[in-house]
Amino acid sequence: MLSIEKYQHVFVEYLEKYSAVKEPETLYSPIQYILNLGGKRLRPVLTLMTSEVFNQDYKKALNAALSIEVFHNFSLIHDDIMDDAPLRRGKATVHEKWDVNTGILSGDAMLIMAYQLFENYDAKTFQALAKLFSKTALEVCEGQQYDVDFETRNDVTIAEYLKMIEYKTAVLVAAAMQMGAIVANASIEDQNNIYQFGKNLGIAFQLQDDYLDAFGDPKTFGKQVGGDIIENKKTYLYIKALEFSNENDKAELKQLFSSNPEDISTKIEVAKQYFESSGSAEVTKIAIEEYTQKAFTVLESINISEEKKALLKAFGNSLMNRTV
């Protein structure tokens, strides 16, 4: 098996050939732009790695990996429009660099392109990949809608929040891994278990992302630090801070997360103080570790070598120790 860096390198080379601009340029230039902004390439790397975990040549999984990455970036274009986000990976978002209409249309094209990539597989593999992809894509949309709905609610529970991030983020990580297993013709049992591994890892990943959104380094995080606070998003940090606060602090925190002040820097700093003083920040870090360990527990039931389990575990640990 290859190193994570080698998988990333091979995938990026394949992506660059795929994302060449064609006519109409105004449709495909934004697609090339978002696909080449960089990022960790987490999901496609997982697809390639999983295919080799189940003894398949990773090159056979390149189109499935590319489909996941194209879909993921399609969702980012539309998410950024909905959030009115100015930055993505430290660069201007598509709707800022071009305009909202371009972002919508180029994103739509990417969704279709993601499906087209399954046409490179035989009928049985195509059907399995497309079925999983359709289920996952719809869940991602449901997760995004929950996320939007939560912005105007002050009674979001931890259970509801975890369901939202499972759908919005974790199922795509899980599907990326199951797609690698599908291409490798792994057993249904192993496919389901690797999906559960990816789902738990994905929840931990999103909780870590929420934590870094508040407490990350602006120089390495890539996105606007405090973006969730600005958008009044009811993250794990916020919900736990409410749970742990006295009535006075709880009322002030709710008021803060229903405001849209001109001075956003003060709002961000005050929210972070609540997160730290209430113990919410520390509990969030504990939850990240718990979901990471849940993922590792599932690994034990997968029919692969101990060496390959260790590789997947090392990958999971690297995700949880990231700063970007």
Side-chain angles (χ1 to χ4, degrees), residues 128-315:
L129 290 171
K131 184 178 180 180
L132 175 61
F133 186 90
S134 296
K135 170 182 172 289
T136 304
L138 194 56
E139 286 173 339
V140 170
C141 291
E142 290 171 1
Q144 174 68 0
Q145 187 61 57
Y146 284 132
D147 195 20
V148 171
D149 292 347
F150 291 173
E151 289 178 25
T152 56
R153 284 180 52 192
N154 276 317
D155 59 348
V156 179
T157 65
I158 285 293
E160 287 178 313
Y161 179 73
L162 289 172
K163 181 180 180 181
M164 183 274 287
I165 64 172
E166 176 185 333
Y167 280 21
K168 186 177 177 183
T169 301
V171 294
L172 194 57
V173 176
M177 300 200 78
Q178 188 172 346
M179 282 187 181
I182 289 170
V183 172
N185 291 311
S187 70
I188 297 299
E189 181 184 3
D190 281 340
Q191 285 184 34
N192 291 337
N193 282 331
I194 203 71
Y195 181 93
Q196 291 301 320
F197 170 80
K199 186 178 76 173
N200 283 302
L201 203 62
I203 292 172
F205 179 86
Q206 184 57 53
L207 290 173
Q208 175 83 330
D209 208 56
D210 292 352
Y211 182 86
L212 290 172
D213 187 273
F215 297 103
D217 184 343
K219 294 176 183 175
T220 59
F221 187 48
K223 294 183 284 185
Q224 181 177 23
V225 171
D228 289 344
I229 297 168
I230 295 167
E231 293 292 322
N232 296 323
K233 292 197 173 179
K234 311 308 189 296
T235 64
Y236 198 94
L237 283 163
Y238 171 82
I239 298 167
K240 281 295 182 184
L242 281 184
E243 182 183 326
F244 296 153
S245 295
N246 60 42
E247 289 305 314
N248 184 58
D249 286 349
K250 191 180 294 186
E252 290 184 4
L253 189 56
K254 284 183 177 181
Q255 175 60 36
L256 185 69
F257 271 71
S258 61
S259 67
N260 293 290
E262 288 187 16
D263 183 9
I264 57 172
S265 60
T266 299
K267 178 179 179 178
I268 292 168
E269 286 308 310
V270 171
K272 286 168 66 175
Q273 287 169 17
Y274 277 116
F275 294 161
E276 290 186 305
S277 63
S278 68
S280 167
E282 188 60 33
V283 167
T284 301
K285 288 195 284 187
I286 291 170
I288 293 165
E289 177 63 23
E290 286 176 347
Y291 275 97
T292 304
Q293 291 307 317
K294 280 185 181 181
F296 294 164
T297 299
V298 176
L299 264 185
E300 297 310 310
S301 59
I302 300 175
N303 297 302
I304 55 175
S305 68
E306 292 303 315
E307 181 184 356
K308 289 176 177 176
K309 289 177 184 177
L311 180 69
L312 290 172
K313 196 169 183 178
F315 184 80

